[in-house]
Amino acid sequence: MGLQVQLVEVSTQGDRDRATALATLGGQGVFTREVQAAVLDGRADIAVHSLKDLPTERTPGLVLAGVPNRAPVFDAVIMPAGFGKQSTSGSELLASFPHGATIGTGSLRRKAQLLHARPDLNIIENRGNVDTRLRKLDEGQFKAIILAEAGLRRLGLESRISGLLQPPVVFPAVGQGAIGIECRDDDGEVRAVLGSITDANTMTAVTAERTLLAELRAGCHAPLGVMSTMTGDGMLTLAAVVLSADGQERIETSAKGRLDAAQLIGHTVANTLRCLGANRLLCK
């Protein structure tokens, strides 16, 4: 396209505070507010987010205009350096951990699902950039840590992946593996450029997932997991799971519909989860 791009680095609240648990750090927007402000005040033309961190409530003056092709969506188990041969099954690794093993993750969603499968595990907050988390692991602070597969692959660290956690054991986060790009809603030129790099299937899937999240008013850090699956006949299946923070209670449901009914599918799954008691679990 012949575009010149200049990077504007922004430090967010979530980047600066690496000690406080995400669930108590400040709710939605801890990784996005400062980046959005840079676009609104004219320092930047676009805001690039990990879509799983972007709140579903629209920020006045901005529009989600670009969602490129999605990366892998699963969570990865990372063992200490020198662990040896990689496993293809994160669930097998999870089952092999000794009683009371210490696992590092900064995600309440991951923690709840891990505790549902292995209530004996000792789940410890693990904040910081990826290098910091890996260093803590290799120093022996954890038996294993859990990170998003997409982030590891984007950083060229796929060799550290020991196994992948997949449904029904662990469901990914809403928007996991996807990049969301916002711009000013009155910037037609930039909106057109971002539209040209948007992947239709990814946009459909994350629309269903984010509709579900918005309907439940759960927030980006809630113990809610989702999985979107598309089939060749133009159908989308959205499965979702909600757990109590301690993993003791778990409800799951799914809905299927046409690709052009992504919002309706998200609404349907949210309504069913509410009927099954999701609000009670999310408010615990």
Side-chain angles (χ1 to χ4, degrees), residues 243-255:
L243 300 95
S244 58
D246 60 9
Q248 292 188 13
E249 296 184 77
R250 180 183 185 275
I251 57 176
E252 179 183 349
T253 192
S254 65

Side-chain angles (χ1 to χ4, degrees), residues 105-126:
T105 176
S107 164
L108 181 57
R109 170 190 59 85
R110 292 171 182 149
K111 178 179 179 179
Q113 294 186 89
L114 290 172
L115 288 176
H116 182 77
R118 286 286 307 272
D120 63 290
L121 293 177
N122 181 29
I123 311 295
I124 300 296
E125 184 84 11
N126 185 24

